[in-house]
Amino acid sequence: MSENVLSVIPADPHWQPAPEPGQRAAALVLEMVSGAPGDPHADPDAVELDVDWYEAISAVDCGQNLTRIDCPHCGAPVDREWYADLLEEHRGLLSTLDITTPCCTTDTSLDRLDYDWPCGFARFEIAAWNPQRLHLTAEELTAVGRALGHPVRQILARI
Ligand SMILES: [Zn+2]
């Protein structure tokens, strides 16, 4: 059985918060993904939160939600095997995002490829397993970003 994981990551893949703002933002995310107040279908106890500071840039991909990756330079679809092999080779932890695209050999950055659904790269991640809501609003993301001290984005994975 697959599970949903809603991750909130800094907009800048290289950026990392200090412990305190990181935990503060995580507490806010936990509250948000526990369900709307009074929602009879929400099961806040099912939610599990992982808060991670990574040594290197970590791929935060959307699991089974990834249907395609396109190259923004030539418009060709990027071979997903190539992407999977790249992550596997580095065990998901990357020292650099610099790549040469397999389609048109353009030097670019991994986070500039067009992922559908969105994927991300980060050195800090707040991951909510079994979130009771599948996405946060723009206002909520702004609030989390304010607690963190850096703008954030969300990635919804099915694992
Ligand atoms: Zn290309």
Side-chain angles (χ1 to χ4, degrees):
M1 213 181 83
S2 61
E3 286 188 283
N4 288 313
V5 185
L6 181 62
S7 290
V8 176
I9 58 172
D12 178 348
H14 301 274
W15 191 85
Q16 242 181 353
E20 206 176 297
Q23 294 296 351
R24 201 161 48 223
L28 203 54
V29 169
L30 180 60
E31 196 182 305
M32 290 167 178
V33 299
S34 293
D39 178 356
H41 302 293
D43 179 8
D45 294 339
V47 181
E48 266 179 64
L49 204 73
D50 281 337
V51 187
D52 287 302
W53 279 259
Y54 300 117
E55 298 268 314
I57 301 169
S58 179
V60 181
D61 80 69
C62 60
Q64 295 167 28
N65 289 336
L66 184 62
T67 55
R68 60 183 295 143
I69 305 172
D70 288 324
C71 173
H73 301 285
C74 70
V78 173
D79 185 1
R80 280 164 56 197
E81 282 292 306
W82 171 86
Y83 175 69
D85 288 349
L86 185 85
L87 295 191
E88 195 167 321
E89 190 181 321
H90 298 273
R91 295 198 193 147
L93 288 174
L94 307 154
S95 54
T96 173
L97 292 175
D98 294 344
I99 51 150
T100 302
T101 58
C103 38
C104 55
T105 60
T106 303
D107 291 330
T108 183
S109 173
L110 256 187
D111 60 337
R112 294 214 187 104
L113 302 181
D114 294 326
Y115 300 90
D116 185 16
W117 295 8
C119 290
F121 299 89
R123 291 192 60 213
F124 175 72
E125 178 180 10
I126 301 167
W129 291 73
N130 304 310
Q132 299 302 295
R133 296 168 50 202
L134 295 182
H135 86 280
L136 304 180
T137 65
E139 289 76 17
E140 287 173 322
L141 289 173
T142 302
V144 174
R146 209 175 291 135
L148 195 62
H150 186 92
V152 296
R153 52 186 297 230
Q154 61 188 332
I155 309 288
L156 180 63
R158 184 170 276 272
I159 304 215

